[in-house]
Amino acid sequence: MKLIMLGAPGAGKGTQAKMIAAKYQIPHISTGDIFRSNIKNGTELGRKAKEYMDQGLLVPDELTVDLVIDRLAQDDCQKGYILDGFPRTIPQAEALTAALAKRGEKMDFAIDVDVPDENIVSRMSGRRACTGCGATYHIVHNPSKKGELCEVCGEPLVLRDDDKPETVQKRLSVYHEQTQPLIEYYGGQGILRTVDGAQPMDDVFAAITKILEA
Ligand code: ADP
Ligand code: ADP
Ligand code: ZN
């Protein structure tokens, strides 16, 4: 099963992608997580990506596309995978379609987690990310049982720099300009499915599994 998660920043793509990956035993590939781990490890890619991420801008396609296409060629992707945060531009989507077509493959579904802009700001200002393992929480909707520490690994939780309100507005406008056109792109390929992402997490998950098992 090959899936794409679409949706605004903070819509719940990562939350759902982790649950789907666990249920169907497929790798969860998050470009945001890949960039953040490069930043943490002080790589050249991390240094370049950070300049854009801190401003709420997209990392250029030249730094993003090959990274993902190479990742998809690894052994653990044979049975499928779930892409979270990629593609985010029409050129990224076209590059993905072309790379798969070369191997006679295609994506199964692009799932749009639809959440109105009004809900996004509170989702992002309440998000807490683990500095150790990347797990995400929400101070109201999904608090850590260990307070300010991660339930999984015990490391401290932080508000991501790019989740501060000034950057969130920028990211939302970048989403509408550069990423939202993918909804039409995958609609045209006949693989778009939309779920109401404003529901509680478990209801969103139930809606997605219903689509995958239909
Ligand atoms: P969110 O889950 O809140 O949407 P991500 O973790 O997916 O955030 O992404 C964080 C940042 O990483 C983005 O704002 C962008 O700067 C960069 N990024 C992630 N994926 C991509 C991509 N496919 N193309 C360009 N930039 C990306
Ligand atoms: P994305 O990957 O799309 O940026 P996340 O999965 O990180 O989004 O979710 C953003 C924030 O909203 C997190 O703090 C998460 O715990 C919370 N969240 C995710 N899904 C829901 C939901 N259905 N209802 C309420 N809060 C949610
Ligand atoms: Zn952790």
Side-chain angles (χ1 to χ4, degrees):
M1 186 157 50
K2 300 191 198 70
L3 307 175
I4 296 170
M5 298 301 289
L6 294 177
K13 301 180 297 296
T15 301
Q16 298 299 326
K18 284 181 185 125
M19 294 198 273
I20 295 164
K23 181 172 165 100
Y24 297 98
Q25 294 290 301
I26 50 176
H28 166 214
I29 301 173
S30 156
T31 40
D33 286 351
I34 295 172
F35 290 136
R36 279 185 292 277
S37 99
N38 273 274
I39 293 173
K40 200 175 158 191
N41 295 327
T43 70
E44 181 63 13
L45 173 65
R47 195 188 54 76
K48 287 185 189 154
K50 187 174 178 1
E51 279 177 40
Y52 298 93
M53 291 167 76
D54 283 351
Q55 297 178 65
L57 301 173
L58 294 182
V59 178
D61 293 341
E62 304 79 71
L63 296 178
T64 309
V65 170
D66 292 348
L67 179 87
V68 177
I69 305 293
D70 289 349
R71 176 71 187 83
L72 301 186
Q74 288 176 17
D75 281 349
D76 64 331
C77 291
Q78 296 290 341
K79 300 186 296 170
Y81 41 79
I82 179 157
L83 297 180
D84 163 16
F86 181 93
R88 249 179 163 100
T89 64
I90 290 285
Q92 289 181 12
E94 288 173 341
L96 175 64
T97 302
L100 290 176
K102 257 199 209 166
R103 301 187 230 151
E105 297 176 6
K106 62 185 220 26
M107 299 304 299
D108 295 306
F109 294 111
I111 297 178
D112 179 32
V113 182
D114 187 28
V115 175
D117 282 10
E118 302 86 82
N119 303 22
I120 292 291
V121 180
S122 74
R123 289 259 179 117
M124 311 241 304
S125 59
R127 171 158 60 186
R128 292 295 178 273
C130 174
T131 48
C133 72
T136 45
Y137 300 88
H138 190 282
I139 51 173
V140 178
H141 304 296
N142 182 25
S144 168
K145 294 186 186 73
K146 293 192 183 164
E148 301 287 289
L149 303 177
C150 178
E151 283 173 20
V152 182
C153 74
E155 292 294 310
L157 304 179
V158 295
L159 176 68
R160 268 166 48 182
D161 279 341
D162 61 343
D163 279 350
K164 300 194 169 135
E166 29 329 341
T167 318
V168 168
Q169 287 305 337
K170 181 67 198 169
R171 289 167 68 199
L172 264 178
S173 68
V174 165
Y175 166 76
H176 288 300
E177 256 169 56
Q178 302 194 59
T179 307
Q180 212 171 10
L182 297 181
I183 293 176
E184 208 180 308
Y185 178 86
Y186 286 111
Q189 290 196 358
I191 62 167
L192 179 74
R193 301 290 184 275
T194 304
V195 295
D196 174 7
Q199 313 170 85
M201 289 171 204
D202 291 343
D203 296 347
V204 180
F205 186 56
I208 295 174
T209 51
K210 197 171 160 197
I211 290 166
L212 303 182
E213 288 169 11

